[in-house]
Amino acid sequence: MHILLVRFSSMGDVVLTTATINWLHSLLGNDLTISFVTSQEFTSLLTNHPGVKTVIGFDRKNGEKWSDLIKKIEVVDDQNPVDLIIDLHATLRSLRLRFSFFMVPALTIDKRRWERFLLTKIRSVKLKKFFSVEPQVVRILKDLEAIFQDTRAVRRTEEFRKGPHGELTSLGGHVQQKLTRPYITLAPSASFTYKRWHIDSYMELVRELLAKTDNDIVILAGPADNFCEVFDTLKSDRVHNLQGKTSLIESMEYLKGAKLTVGNDSGLNHISEAYGVPCVTLFGPTDPRFGFAPHGRDSVTISRDLWCKPCSTTGSKDCYRDRHYCMEEIKVKEVLDASLLVLGRAL
Ligand code: SF4
């Protein structure tokens, strides 16, 4: 059976779809071939994944046309006809792709948009508690269990959860170890400004971690995240500020070798977990109940219950309150204690 999975973005969501890859392989065994369509910038997440035969990138940012993407899929389809498309994105773009291959059966997952929208509208903290906090990966697997009507499937998901770290996701073999000393990775960036914990808090956390542990600190962030320059003022040879200096693959290598990742609700934390490295993840304007909280057994989620939170489904909106309460109320001591707890478990 040849299945075409579709998830264009974002980075964290593409990582989470690897749970689906693992699950499908456990269901269909050696008979399964998976091809994966994603945005070009995320192809390196999947190129070394043992469960994916072909990764098809769509380079829309550099002007690639939709017709070029369709041609690439047609080439793959000619070599080994696609039996099923599973749309893990469920947007107009992925719908268009399914439409282009309307002769191929297609399934789509339920992204619980209505639930997420409601959460942004309800102002009562008590009412919000009625919403499920089940991780998105578990929800998707439940959808697949229903679609494939495999009675052993629920048990199979539980078996994944019993892995060394309770992980459901996985990534390919980027193995090059970058540092000889043990280290913690810090992911202080995020796709939107209000999803970031304040840089002063990160600075204080780094000072505390340097004082209270033997670990080096590796800072990972993109070329545009210049606010990370402040870490250079620490002038410590145990702090490796790699903001803007690593490709996605190099960042993955650093994340894989870490003992812990501390960061905002962002893709780097999901990569970390896919390598079985626990995370401390800080949620600001987004909500763990959206289903994107870390799912690993040793990971910790830190999030405040506020009437205004979540204020959007993606964290993209500007804060409308007098202060950025959702992040300001997360104190350095709490993040430090959680980090030390996770490190203690990892020893
Ligand atoms: S404090 Fe409230 S309104 Fe402001 S960003 Fe956080 S969740 Fe949104």
Side-chain angles (χ1 to χ4, degrees), residues 285 308-309 311 319-321 323-326:
C308 60
K309 171 189 156 116
C311 55
C319 181
Y320 58 79
R321 295 188 66 185
R323 280 173 38 213
H324 190 199
Y325 290 94
C326 56

Side-chain angles (χ1 to χ4, degrees), residues 90-129:
T91 57
L92 280 177
R93 200 166 23 146
S94 59
L95 182 68
R96 190 176 170 197
L97 189 152
R98 280 157 48 200
F99 198 68
S100 302
F101 293 88
F102 66 92
M103 298 294 280
V104 180
L107 304 169
T108 188
I109 52 124
D110 175 5
K111 286 171 78 178
R112 278 83 171 175
R113 281 200 177 88
W114 178 237
E115 247 177 67
R116 287 158 68 184
F117 175 74
L118 263 186
L119 257 174
T120 65
K121 295 296 165 199
I122 293 172
R123 290 285 178 253
S124 158
V125 170
K126 276 188 191 156
L127 269 182
K128 287 177 203 266
K129 288 190 191 294

Side-chain angles (χ1 to χ4, degrees), residues 183-184 209 212-215 258-261 278 280 298 336-347:
Y183 62 92
I184 297 165
L209 287 170
K212 293 197 165 68
T213 79
D214 295 329
N215 290 279
K259 292 175 87 177
L260 162 74
T261 296
V280 174
D298 294 327
L336 176 69
D337 288 348
S339 304
L340 296 178
L341 182 79
V342 175
L343 283 171
R345 282 188 202 145
L347 287 176

Side-chain angles (χ1 to χ4, degrees), residues 174-203:
H174 304 283
V175 288
Q176 199 181 341
Q177 191 73 24
K178 296 282 193 180
L179 291 183
T180 47
R181 292 197 298 232
Y183 62 92
I184 297 165
T185 43
L186 213 66
S189 187
S191 43
F192 301 108
T193 307
Y194 284 98
K195 286 178 80 177
R196 290 184 204 146
W197 197 39
H198 295 187
I199 194 67
D200 294 349
S201 303
Y202 272 114
M203 282 285 279

Side-chain angles (χ1 to χ4, degrees), residues 126-282:
K126 276 188 191 156
L127 269 182
K128 287 177 203 266
K129 288 190 191 294
F130 285 103
F131 284 79
S132 156
V133 289
E134 197 170 43
Q136 178 87 348
V137 283
V138 175
R139 290 181 196 168
I140 291 175
L141 295 182
K142 283 187 177 168
D143 282 354
L144 290 174
E145 286 159 6
I147 288 165
F148 281 90
Q149 297 186 340
D150 183 284
T151 52
R152 296 156 300 159
V154 176
R155 218 171 51 233
R156 190 168 282 125
T157 305
E158 288 308 312
E159 277 162 20
F160 277 126
R161 301 283 276 167
K162 285 183 198 147
H165 308 282
E167 63 267 29
L168 290 164
T169 52
S170 66
L171 286 170
H174 304 283
V175 288
Q176 199 181 341
Q177 191 73 24
K178 296 282 193 180
L179 291 183
T180 47
R181 292 197 298 232
Y183 62 92
I184 297 165
T185 43
L186 213 66
S189 187
S191 43
F192 301 108
T193 307
Y194 284 98
K195 286 178 80 177
R196 290 184 204 146
W197 197 39
H198 295 187
I199 194 67
D200 294 349
S201 303
Y202 272 114
M203 282 285 279
E204 200 180 328
L205 178 71
V206 170
R207 282 192 205 98
E208 292 285 342
L209 287 170
L210 290 174
K212 293 197 165 68
T213 79
D214 295 329
N215 290 279
D216 283 12
I217 308 288
V218 172
I219 293 144
L220 297 174
D225 298 319
N226 296 334
F227 65 90
C228 290
E229 284 168 6
V230 71
F231 290 110
D232 295 334
T233 63
L234 289 167
K235 297 196 187 315
S236 166
D237 63 356
R238 290 174 58 203
V239 177
H240 310 269
N241 185 1
L242 303 181
Q243 178 257 321
K245 295 182 183 144
T246 53
S247 65
L248 179 53
I249 286 187
E250 285 169 327
S251 296
M252 290 163 75
E253 288 171 348
Y254 277 106
L255 290 163
K256 185 172 185 179
K259 292 175 87 177
L260 162 74
T261 296
V262 182
N264 309 315
D265 170 24
S266 71
L268 294 187
N269 283 39
H270 292 305
I271 292 174
S272 225
E273 283 216 299
Y275 283 131
V277 175
C279 297
V280 174
T281 303
L282 316 180

Side-chain angles (χ1 to χ4, degrees), residues 286-305:
T286 49
D287 194 298
R289 280 168 285 224
F290 286 169
F292 302 105
H295 57 267
R297 193 170 299 133
D298 294 327
S299 292
V300 175
T301 298
I302 299 181
S303 177
R304 293 280 90 88
D305 280 333

